[in-house]
Amino acid sequence: MRILIPALLAGLLGATAVHADTTVPMYMATEKGQGQAIGEVTLSDSKYGLVFTPKLTSLPAGVHGFHVHAMGSCDAKEDGGKMVPAGAAGGHLDPQNTKKHGMPWDDGAHLGDLPPLIVDAQGNAMQPVLAPRLKLAAVSGKALMVHAGGDNHSDHPAPLGGGGARQACGVIK
């Protein structure tokens, strides 16, 4: 009985504990699947939302679209006879089925829309971004994606912000 009570308490406390930070290993996305490792992104819950802190290298300089995608896979997937890098990640996380790309704080937009990822002239991304509508529990088992180009957080003039091809991907555990 003495062993059972501490075990039960540990189980109850564990069930109500706040999630610890999660580190997501990131890899280049290729038509053959996972490519070279480029670093990691740490996800941390805060009272303001979910903080994404990148430590990424080997990316082209500039502004990149950054999103949580619906499926927890970074595998390439065939679409129209062509292999799409990280296509198995599906579309942007959109559990409310808004079908609208927008700002990270816009309640009427995809839940997976994040602020842009900024990559410096040396190919490094180190600046954290905040997703005010997300918590770690909502993105566990999903994919984190870096796109080749910027994101205007609108569906005009190009769908999904015009972010371009899927460039890097990691699965959130």
Side-chain angles (χ1 to χ4, degrees):
M1 189 69 163
R2 289 182 189 190
I3 295 172
L4 184 58
I5 291 172
L8 286 172
L9 284 175
L12 288 173
L13 292 175
T16 59
V18 175
H19 288 282
D21 293 351
T22 294
T23 300
V24 181
M26 298 291 290
Y27 302 89
M28 294 303 287
T30 75
E31 293 177 356
K32 293 182 180 178
Q34 180 177 298
Q36 78 176 37
I38 60 166
E40 63 191 28
V41 178
T42 302
L43 282 60
S44 309
D45 277 323
S46 80
K47 68 180 183 177
Y48 302 106
L50 189 58
V51 180
F52 294 76
T53 305
K55 290 182 183 171
L56 302 175
T57 62
S58 305
L59 290 167
V63 179
H64 294 263
F66 195 39
H67 307 101
V68 175
H69 282 244
M71 307 304 289
S73 175
C74 293
D75 292 338
K77 183 178 178 184
E78 186 177 341
D79 184 18
K82 188 175 178 185
M83 293 304 286
V84 176
H92 297 176
L93 178 62
D94 190 21
Q96 289 82 30
N97 203 27
T98 66
K99 299 185 182 188
K100 179 183 174 233
H101 186 64
M103 296 296 203
W105 53 85
D106 180 355
D107 288 336
H110 301 145
L111 195 57
D113 293 341
L114 303 177
L117 184 71
I118 308 299
V119 179
D120 67 21
Q122 290 74 42
N124 302 313
M126 304 292 174
Q127 184 173 348
V129 300
L130 174 68
R133 298 184 305 140
L134 286 175
K135 291 290 183 192
L136 188 54
V139 299
S140 180
K142 310 299 182 202
L144 184 59
M145 192 76 62
V146 177
H147 290 269
D151 183 344
N152 70 4
H153 293 97
S154 172
D155 282 321
H156 302 286
L160 302 174
R166 296 165 186 220
Q167 192 166 42
C169 185
V171 176
I172 303 165
K173 303 281 183 179

Short mmCIF file of all heavy atoms in Angstrom, two decimals, residues 104-170:
data_model
loop_
_atom_site.label_atom_id
_atom_site.label_comp_id
_atom_site.label_asym_id
_atom_site.label_seq_id
_atom_site.Cartn_x
_atom_site.Cartn_y
_atom_site.Cartn_z
N PRO A 104 -1.32 35.34 -37.48
CA PRO A 104 -1.32 34.39 -36.36
C PRO A 104 -2.32 34.73 -35.25
O PRO A 104 -2.73 33.87 -34.51
CB PRO A 104 0.10 34.46 -35.82
CG PRO A 104 0.91 35.00 -36.95
CD PRO A 104 0.00 35.89 -37.74
N TRP A 105 -2.72 35.98 -35.13
CA TRP A 105 -3.66 36.40 -34.09
C TRP A 105 -5.09 36.50 -34.60
O TRP A 105 -6.00 36.81 -33.85
CB TRP A 105 -3.23 37.74 -33.49
CG TRP A 105 -3.02 38.78 -34.53
CD1 TRP A 105 -3.97 39.60 -35.09
CD2 TRP A 105 -1.79 39.11 -35.16
NE1 TRP A 105 -3.41 40.41 -36.03
CE2 TRP A 105 -2.06 40.14 -36.10
CE3 TRP A 105 -0.48 38.65 -35.03
CZ2 TRP A 105 -1.07 40.70 -36.89
CZ3 TRP A 105 0.49 39.22 -35.83
CH2 TRP A 105 0.20 40.22 -36.74
N ASP A 106 -5.33 36.19 -35.87
CA ASP A 106 -6.65 36.29 -36.49
C ASP A 106 -7.46 35.03 -36.19
O ASP A 106 -7.15 33.95 -36.69
CB ASP A 106 -6.48 36.47 -38.00
CG ASP A 106 -7.78 36.59 -38.76
OD1 ASP A 106 -8.86 36.44 -38.15
OD2 ASP A 106 -7.73 36.82 -39.98
N ASP A 107 -8.51 35.16 -35.37
CA ASP A 107 -9.33 34.01 -34.98
C ASP A 107 -10.01 33.33 -36.16
O ASP A 107 -10.41 32.18 -36.06
CB ASP A 107 -10.39 34.42 -33.96
CG ASP A 107 -9.80 34.71 -32.60
OD1 ASP A 107 -8.70 34.19 -32.29
OD2 ASP A 107 -10.41 35.48 -31.83
N GLY A 108 -10.14 34.02 -37.29
CA GLY A 108 -10.79 33.45 -38.46
C GLY A 108 -9.84 32.78 -39.44
O GLY A 108 -10.23 32.41 -40.54
N ALA A 109 -8.57 32.61 -39.05
CA ALA A 109 -7.56 32.05 -39.95
C ALA A 109 -7.11 30.67 -39.46
O ALA A 109 -7.47 30.23 -38.37
CB ALA A 109 -6.35 32.98 -40.02
N HIS A 110 -6.30 30.00 -40.30
CA HIS A 110 -5.71 28.71 -39.90
C HIS A 110 -5.04 28.86 -38.54
O HIS A 110 -4.33 29.85 -38.30
CB HIS A 110 -4.61 28.28 -40.88
CG HIS A 110 -5.04 28.11 -42.28
ND1 HIS A 110 -4.21 28.43 -43.33
CD2 HIS A 110 -6.19 27.66 -42.83
CE1 HIS A 110 -4.83 28.17 -44.47
NE2 HIS A 110 -6.04 27.71 -44.19
N LEU A 111 -5.19 27.88 -37.70
CA LEU A 111 -4.52 27.89 -36.40
C LEU A 111 -3.01 27.74 -36.58
O LEU A 111 -2.23 28.23 -35.78
CB LEU A 111 -5.07 26.76 -35.53
CG LEU A 111 -4.77 26.80 -34.06
CD1 LEU A 111 -5.25 28.11 -33.43
CD2 LEU A 111 -5.40 25.62 -33.35
N GLY A 112 -2.57 27.08 -37.66
CA GLY A 112 -1.15 26.85 -37.91
C GLY A 112 -0.40 28.00 -38.56
O GLY A 112 0.80 27.89 -38.81
N ASP A 113 -1.06 29.13 -38.82
CA ASP A 113 -0.37 30.28 -39.41
C ASP A 113 0.50 30.94 -38.34
O ASP A 113 0.02 31.35 -37.29
CB ASP A 113 -1.38 31.29 -39.95
CG ASP A 113 -2.16 30.78 -41.15
OD1 ASP A 113 -1.70 29.81 -41.78
OD2 ASP A 113 -3.23 31.33 -41.44
N LEU A 114 1.80 31.02 -38.62
CA LEU A 114 2.77 31.58 -37.68
C LEU A 114 3.37 32.87 -38.24
O LEU A 114 3.33 33.11 -39.45
CB LEU A 114 3.91 30.58 -37.43
CG LEU A 114 3.52 29.21 -36.90
CD1 LEU A 114 4.76 28.32 -36.79
CD2 LEU A 114 2.82 29.33 -35.57
N PRO A 115 3.99 33.68 -37.38
CA PRO A 115 4.75 34.82 -37.88
C PRO A 115 5.88 34.32 -38.78
O PRO A 115 6.28 33.15 -38.69
CB PRO A 115 5.32 35.46 -36.62
CG PRO A 115 4.41 35.02 -35.52
CD PRO A 115 3.98 33.63 -35.92
N PRO A 116 6.40 35.18 -39.64
CA PRO A 116 7.47 34.74 -40.55
C PRO A 116 8.75 34.39 -39.81
O PRO A 116 9.03 34.91 -38.73
CB PRO A 116 7.68 35.94 -41.47
CG PRO A 116 7.17 37.11 -40.71
CD PRO A 116 6.07 36.59 -39.83
N LEU A 117 9.53 33.52 -40.42
CA LEU A 117 10.84 33.14 -39.93
C LEU A 117 11.86 34.03 -40.65
O LEU A 117 11.86 34.09 -41.88
CB LEU A 117 11.10 31.67 -40.21
CG LEU A 117 12.40 31.09 -39.67
CD1 LEU A 117 12.32 30.97 -38.15
CD2 LEU A 117 12.65 29.72 -40.28
N ILE A 118 12.71 34.69 -39.91
CA ILE A 118 13.72 35.58 -40.49
C ILE A 118 15.07 34.87 -40.48
O ILE A 118 15.54 34.41 -39.44
CB ILE A 118 13.84 36.90 -39.69
CG1 ILE A 118 12.47 37.56 -39.51
CG2 ILE A 118 14.85 37.84 -40.35
CD1 ILE A 118 11.77 37.95 -40.79
N VAL A 119 15.70 34.78 -41.67
CA VAL A 119 17.00 34.14 -41.81
C VAL A 119 18.02 35.21 -42.17
O VAL A 119 17.82 35.99 -43.12
CB VAL A 119 16.96 33.04 -42.90
CG1 VAL A 119 18.32 32.40 -43.06
CG2 VAL A 119 15.90 31.99 -42.55
N ASP A 120 19.12 35.29 -41.41
CA ASP A 120 20.13 36.32 -41.64
C ASP A 120 21.00 36.01 -42.86
O ASP A 120 20.86 34.96 -43.50
CB ASP A 120 20.97 36.55 -40.37
CG ASP A 120 21.85 35.38 -39.98
OD1 ASP A 120 22.18 34.51 -40.82
OD2 ASP A 120 22.25 35.33 -38.79
N ALA A 121 21.91 36.92 -43.17
CA ALA A 121 22.76 36.80 -44.35
C ALA A 121 23.67 35.57 -44.31
O ALA A 121 24.13 35.10 -45.35
CB ALA A 121 23.60 38.07 -44.51
N GLN A 122 23.92 35.02 -43.13
CA GLN A 122 24.76 33.83 -42.99
C GLN A 122 23.94 32.54 -43.05
O GLN A 122 24.48 31.45 -42.89
CB GLN A 122 25.55 33.88 -41.68
CG GLN A 122 26.64 34.92 -41.64
CD GLN A 122 26.09 36.34 -41.49
OE1 GLN A 122 25.17 36.58 -40.72
NE2 GLN A 122 26.65 37.26 -42.26
N GLY A 123 22.62 32.65 -43.25
CA GLY A 123 21.77 31.47 -43.35
C GLY A 123 21.25 30.94 -42.03
O GLY A 123 20.77 29.82 -41.95
N ASN A 124 21.32 31.77 -40.98
CA ASN A 124 20.89 31.35 -39.65
C ASN A 124 19.56 31.99 -39.27
O ASN A 124 19.33 33.17 -39.52
CB ASN A 124 21.93 31.76 -38.60
CG ASN A 124 23.28 31.18 -38.90
OD1 ASN A 124 23.40 30.00 -39.18
ND2 ASN A 124 24.31 32.02 -38.86
N ALA A 125 18.70 31.22 -38.62
CA ALA A 125 17.45 31.73 -38.06
C ALA A 125 17.52 31.50 -36.56
O ALA A 125 17.61 30.35 -36.11
CB ALA A 125 16.25 31.01 -38.66
N MET A 126 17.50 32.57 -35.78
CA MET A 126 17.63 32.46 -34.33
C MET A 126 16.57 33.28 -33.58
O MET A 126 16.46 33.18 -32.37
CB MET A 126 19.02 32.94 -33.87
CG MET A 126 20.17 32.24 -34.54
SD MET A 126 20.26 30.51 -34.04
CE MET A 126 21.57 29.92 -35.08
N GLN A 127 15.80 34.09 -34.30
CA GLN A 127 14.85 34.99 -33.66
C GLN A 127 13.53 34.28 -33.34
O GLN A 127 12.88 33.73 -34.22
CB GLN A 127 14.57 36.19 -34.58
CG GLN A 127 13.66 37.21 -33.95
CD GLN A 127 13.55 38.45 -34.81
OE1 GLN A 127 14.31 38.65 -35.75
NE2 GLN A 127 12.60 39.29 -34.48
N PRO A 128 13.12 34.27 -32.06
CA PRO A 128 11.87 33.61 -31.68
C PRO A 128 10.65 34.30 -32.30
O PRO A 128 10.67 35.49 -32.59
CB PRO A 128 11.83 33.76 -30.15
CG PRO A 128 13.21 34.10 -29.74
CD PRO A 128 13.82 34.82 -30.90
N VAL A 129 9.59 33.51 -32.48
CA VAL A 129 8.30 34.05 -32.91
C VAL A 129 7.23 33.54 -31.95
O VAL A 129 7.37 32.49 -31.33
CB VAL A 129 7.95 33.68 -34.37
CG1 VAL A 129 9.00 34.20 -35.33
CG2 VAL A 129 7.76 32.19 -34.54
N LEU A 130 6.15 34.31 -31.84
CA LEU A 130 5.06 33.99 -30.92
C LEU A 130 3.78 33.72 -31.69
O LEU A 130 3.38 34.49 -32.56
CB LEU A 130 4.83 35.18 -29.97
CG LEU A 130 3.64 35.09 -29.03
CD1 LEU A 130 3.86 33.99 -27.99
CD2 LEU A 130 3.39 36.42 -28.35
N ALA A 131 3.13 32.61 -31.36
CA ALA A 131 1.83 32.26 -31.91
C ALA A 131 0.80 32.39 -30.78
O ALA A 131 0.67 31.48 -29.95
CB ALA A 131 1.84 30.84 -32.47
N PRO A 132 0.09 33.51 -30.70
CA PRO A 132 -0.75 33.79 -29.54
C PRO A 132 -1.96 32.86 -29.37
O PRO A 132 -2.47 32.74 -28.27
CB PRO A 132 -1.19 35.23 -29.76
CG PRO A 132 -1.02 35.48 -31.21
CD PRO A 132 0.10 34.60 -31.66
N ARG A 133 -2.39 32.17 -30.42
CA ARG A 133 -3.57 31.30 -30.31
C ARG A 133 -3.20 29.83 -30.07
O ARG A 133 -4.09 28.99 -29.96
CB ARG A 133 -4.42 31.38 -31.59
CG ARG A 133 -4.97 32.78 -31.84
CD ARG A 133 -5.89 32.82 -33.04
NE ARG A 133 -5.27 32.32 -34.24
CZ ARG A 133 -5.89 31.54 -35.14
NH1 ARG A 133 -7.14 31.20 -34.99
NH2 ARG A 133 -5.25 31.13 -36.21
N LEU A 134 -1.92 29.53 -29.98
CA LEU A 134 -1.50 28.14 -29.85
C LEU A 134 -0.95 27.82 -28.47
O LEU A 134 -0.40 28.68 -27.79
CB LEU A 134 -0.40 27.82 -30.87
CG LEU A 134 -0.82 27.67 -32.31
CD1 LEU A 134 0.40 27.46 -33.21
CD2 LEU A 134 -1.80 26.52 -32.48
N LYS A 135 -1.10 26.55 -28.11
CA LYS A 135 -0.46 25.95 -26.94
C LYS A 135 0.22 24.68 -27.43
O LYS A 135 -0.20 24.09 -28.44
CB LYS A 135 -1.48 25.61 -25.85
CG LYS A 135 -2.08 26.83 -25.19
CD LYS A 135 -1.04 27.53 -24.35
CE LYS A 135 -1.63 28.71 -23.61
NZ LYS A 135 -0.59 29.54 -23.02
N LEU A 136 1.22 24.23 -26.72
CA LEU A 136 1.98 23.05 -27.12
C LEU A 136 1.08 21.82 -27.32
O LEU A 136 1.25 21.07 -28.27
CB LEU A 136 3.07 22.77 -26.09
CG LEU A 136 4.09 21.70 -26.43
CD1 LEU A 136 4.75 21.95 -27.78
CD2 LEU A 136 5.14 21.62 -25.34
N ALA A 137 0.11 21.66 -26.45
CA ALA A 137 -0.77 20.49 -26.55
C ALA A 137 -1.51 20.44 -27.89
O ALA A 137 -1.81 19.38 -28.41
CB ALA A 137 -1.77 20.49 -25.40
N ALA A 138 -1.79 21.60 -28.49
CA ALA A 138 -2.53 21.66 -29.76
C ALA A 138 -1.69 21.28 -30.97
O ALA A 138 -2.24 20.97 -32.03
CB ALA A 138 -3.11 23.06 -29.96
N VAL A 139 -0.37 21.32 -30.84
CA VAL A 139 0.49 21.05 -32.00
C VAL A 139 1.27 19.75 -31.89
O VAL A 139 1.96 19.36 -32.83
CB VAL A 139 1.45 22.24 -32.28
CG1 VAL A 139 0.66 23.50 -32.58
CG2 VAL A 139 2.42 22.45 -31.14
N SER A 140 1.15 19.07 -30.79
CA SER A 140 1.84 17.80 -30.62
C SER A 140 1.38 16.81 -31.69
O SER A 140 0.19 16.68 -31.95
CB SER A 140 1.54 17.24 -29.23
OG SER A 140 2.21 16.02 -29.04
N GLY A 141 2.33 16.16 -32.34
CA GLY A 141 2.00 15.21 -33.38
C GLY A 141 1.78 15.84 -34.75
O GLY A 141 1.38 15.17 -35.69
N LYS A 142 2.07 17.12 -34.89
CA LYS A 142 1.92 17.84 -36.16
C LYS A 142 3.32 18.10 -36.74
O LYS A 142 4.33 17.79 -36.14
CB LYS A 142 1.19 19.18 -35.96
CG LYS A 142 -0.11 19.08 -35.18
CD LYS A 142 -1.11 18.21 -35.85
CE LYS A 142 -2.41 18.18 -35.05
NZ LYS A 142 -3.23 17.04 -35.32
N ALA A 143 3.37 18.70 -37.92
CA ALA A 143 4.65 19.03 -38.55
C ALA A 143 4.89 20.54 -38.51
O ALA A 143 3.96 21.33 -38.62
CB ALA A 143 4.68 18.54 -40.00
N LEU A 144 6.13 20.92 -38.35
CA LEU A 144 6.55 22.32 -38.39
C LEU A 144 7.28 22.54 -39.71
O LEU A 144 8.20 21.79 -40.04
CB LEU A 144 7.47 22.62 -37.20
CG LEU A 144 7.94 24.05 -37.03
CD1 LEU A 144 6.75 25.00 -36.86
CD2 LEU A 144 8.86 24.16 -35.82
N MET A 145 6.86 23.56 -40.47
CA MET A 145 7.35 23.73 -41.84
C MET A 145 7.95 25.12 -42.07
O MET A 145 7.38 26.13 -41.64
CB MET A 145 6.18 23.54 -42.80
CG MET A 145 6.56 23.40 -44.25
SD MET A 145 7.22 21.78 -44.62
CE MET A 145 5.81 20.73 -44.25
N VAL A 146 9.08 25.14 -42.78
CA VAL A 146 9.68 26.38 -43.29
C VAL A 146 9.49 26.36 -44.80
O VAL A 146 9.83 25.36 -45.46
CB VAL A 146 11.18 26.48 -42.94
CG1 VAL A 146 11.80 27.73 -43.55
CG2 VAL A 146 11.40 26.43 -41.43
N HIS A 147 8.95 27.44 -45.35
CA HIS A 147 8.73 27.53 -46.79
C HIS A 147 9.85 28.34 -47.45
O HIS A 147 10.53 29.12 -46.79
CB HIS A 147 7.37 28.17 -47.07
CG HIS A 147 6.22 27.28 -46.72
ND1 HIS A 147 5.66 26.41 -47.62
CD2 HIS A 147 5.56 27.11 -45.55
CE1 HIS A 147 4.68 25.75 -47.03
NE2 HIS A 147 4.60 26.14 -45.76
N ALA A 148 10.00 28.15 -48.75
CA ALA A 148 11.09 28.78 -49.50
C ALA A 148 10.98 30.30 -49.56
O ALA A 148 11.99 30.99 -49.55
CB ALA A 148 11.15 28.20 -50.91
N GLY A 149 9.79 30.83 -49.62
CA GLY A 149 9.64 32.28 -49.75
C GLY A 149 8.88 32.87 -48.58
O GLY A 149 8.51 32.18 -47.64
N GLY A 150 8.65 34.19 -48.67
CA GLY A 150 7.94 34.91 -47.63
C GLY A 150 6.46 34.56 -47.60
O GLY A 150 5.97 33.78 -48.41
N ASP A 151 5.75 35.15 -46.68
CA ASP A 151 4.33 34.89 -46.47
C ASP A 151 3.66 36.23 -46.21
O ASP A 151 4.01 36.92 -45.26
CB ASP A 151 4.18 33.95 -45.27
CG ASP A 151 2.76 33.53 -44.98
OD1 ASP A 151 1.82 34.17 -45.49
OD2 ASP A 151 2.58 32.58 -44.22
N ASN A 152 2.66 36.58 -47.04
CA ASN A 152 1.97 37.86 -46.82
C ASN A 152 0.74 37.71 -45.93
O ASN A 152 -0.02 38.64 -45.76
CB ASN A 152 1.62 38.53 -48.14
CG ASN A 152 0.52 37.81 -48.90
OD1 ASN A 152 -0.05 36.83 -48.42
ND2 ASN A 152 0.21 38.30 -50.09
N HIS A 153 0.53 36.52 -45.37
CA HIS A 153 -0.59 36.22 -44.46
C HIS A 153 -1.95 36.55 -45.06
O HIS A 153 -2.84 37.04 -44.39
CB HIS A 153 -0.38 36.91 -43.10
CG HIS A 153 0.78 36.34 -42.37
ND1 HIS A 153 2.03 36.92 -42.40
CD2 HIS A 153 0.90 35.22 -41.62
CE1 HIS A 153 2.86 36.18 -41.69
NE2 HIS A 153 2.20 35.15 -41.21
N SER A 154 -2.09 36.25 -46.33
CA SER A 154 -3.33 36.47 -47.05
C SER A 154 -3.45 35.40 -48.12
O SER A 154 -2.47 34.74 -48.46
CB SER A 154 -3.31 37.86 -47.70
OG SER A 154 -4.42 38.03 -48.54
N ASP A 155 -4.63 35.23 -48.67
CA ASP A 155 -4.81 34.31 -49.79
C ASP A 155 -4.75 35.05 -51.12
O ASP A 155 -5.03 34.48 -52.17
CB ASP A 155 -6.14 33.56 -49.65
CG ASP A 155 -6.05 32.44 -48.63
OD1 ASP A 155 -5.00 31.77 -48.58
OD2 ASP A 155 -7.01 32.23 -47.88
N HIS A 156 -4.39 36.33 -51.09
CA HIS A 156 -4.30 37.14 -52.31
C HIS A 156 -2.97 37.87 -52.34
O HIS A 156 -2.54 38.36 -51.30
CB HIS A 156 -5.45 38.15 -52.36
CG HIS A 156 -6.81 37.51 -52.31
ND1 HIS A 156 -7.36 36.84 -53.36
CD2 HIS A 156 -7.70 37.39 -51.30
CE1 HIS A 156 -8.54 36.36 -53.02
NE2 HIS A 156 -8.76 36.68 -51.77
N PRO A 157 -2.27 38.00 -53.42
CA PRO A 157 -2.64 37.53 -54.75
C PRO A 157 -2.40 36.04 -54.95
O PRO A 157 -2.85 35.47 -55.93
CB PRO A 157 -1.76 38.34 -55.67
CG PRO A 157 -0.54 38.62 -54.87
CD PRO A 157 -0.99 38.73 -53.45
N ALA A 158 -1.68 35.38 -54.03
CA ALA A 158 -1.42 33.94 -54.18
C ALA A 158 -1.99 33.20 -52.97
O ALA A 158 -1.97 33.72 -51.86
CB ALA A 158 0.08 33.68 -54.28
N PRO A 159 -2.51 31.99 -53.17
CA PRO A 159 -3.04 31.22 -52.05
C PRO A 159 -1.97 30.94 -50.99
O PRO A 159 -0.79 30.84 -51.30
CB PRO A 159 -3.50 29.90 -52.68
CG PRO A 159 -3.58 30.15 -54.15
CD PRO A 159 -2.64 31.27 -54.44
N LEU A 160 -2.43 30.83 -49.75
CA LEU A 160 -1.57 30.48 -48.62
C LEU A 160 -0.39 31.43 -48.43
O LEU A 160 0.68 31.03 -47.99
CB LEU A 160 -1.10 29.03 -48.73
CG LEU A 160 -2.21 27.98 -48.81
CD1 LEU A 160 -1.64 26.61 -49.05
CD2 LEU A 160 -3.06 28.01 -47.55
N GLY A 161 -0.58 32.68 -48.77
CA GLY A 161 0.44 33.69 -48.53
C GLY A 161 1.57 33.71 -49.53
O GLY A 161 2.50 34.49 -49.40
N GLY A 162 1.51 32.85 -50.54
CA GLY A 162 2.57 32.83 -51.54
C GLY A 162 3.90 32.36 -51.00
O GLY A 162 4.95 32.68 -51.55
N GLY A 163 3.88 31.55 -49.94
CA GLY A 163 5.11 31.14 -49.25
C GLY A 163 6.06 30.27 -50.04
O GLY A 163 7.20 30.13 -49.68
N GLY A 164 5.62 29.68 -51.09
CA GLY A 164 6.52 28.87 -51.90
C GLY A 164 6.67 27.46 -51.42
O GLY A 164 5.96 26.99 -50.53
N ALA A 165 7.61 26.76 -52.03
CA ALA A 165 7.83 25.33 -51.77
C ALA A 165 8.17 25.04 -50.32
O ALA A 165 8.68 25.90 -49.61
CB ALA A 165 8.94 24.82 -52.68
N ARG A 166 7.92 23.82 -49.92
CA ARG A 166 8.28 23.36 -48.58
C ARG A 166 9.79 23.12 -48.57
O ARG A 166 10.31 22.34 -49.36
CB ARG A 166 7.51 22.09 -48.26
CG ARG A 166 6.02 22.34 -48.22
CD ARG A 166 5.22 21.08 -48.28
NE ARG A 166 3.81 21.43 -48.40
CZ ARG A 166 2.83 20.79 -47.76
NH1 ARG A 166 3.10 19.75 -47.00
NH2 ARG A 166 1.59 21.18 -47.89
N GLN A 167 10.47 23.82 -47.68
CA GLN A 167 11.93 23.79 -47.70
C GLN A 167 12.53 22.96 -46.57
O GLN A 167 13.51 22.26 -46.75
CB GLN A 167 12.46 25.21 -47.65
CG GLN A 167 13.91 25.34 -47.93
CD GLN A 167 14.27 26.76 -48.19
OE1 GLN A 167 13.82 27.66 -47.51
NE2 GLN A 167 15.10 26.98 -49.19
N ALA A 168 11.94 23.08 -45.38
CA ALA A 168 12.46 22.34 -44.21
C ALA A 168 11.27 21.93 -43.37
O ALA A 168 10.24 22.59 -43.34
CB ALA A 168 13.42 23.20 -43.42
N CYS A 169 11.44 20.79 -42.65
CA CYS A 169 10.33 20.23 -41.91
C CYS A 169 10.84 19.47 -40.69
O CYS A 169 11.94 18.92 -40.71
CB CYS A 169 9.55 19.28 -42.83
SG CYS A 169 8.05 18.58 -42.15
N GLY A 170 10.01 19.45 -39.65
CA GLY A 170 10.29 18.64 -38.47
C GLY A 170 8.97 18.21 -37.85
O GLY A 170 7.96 18.90 -37.99
#
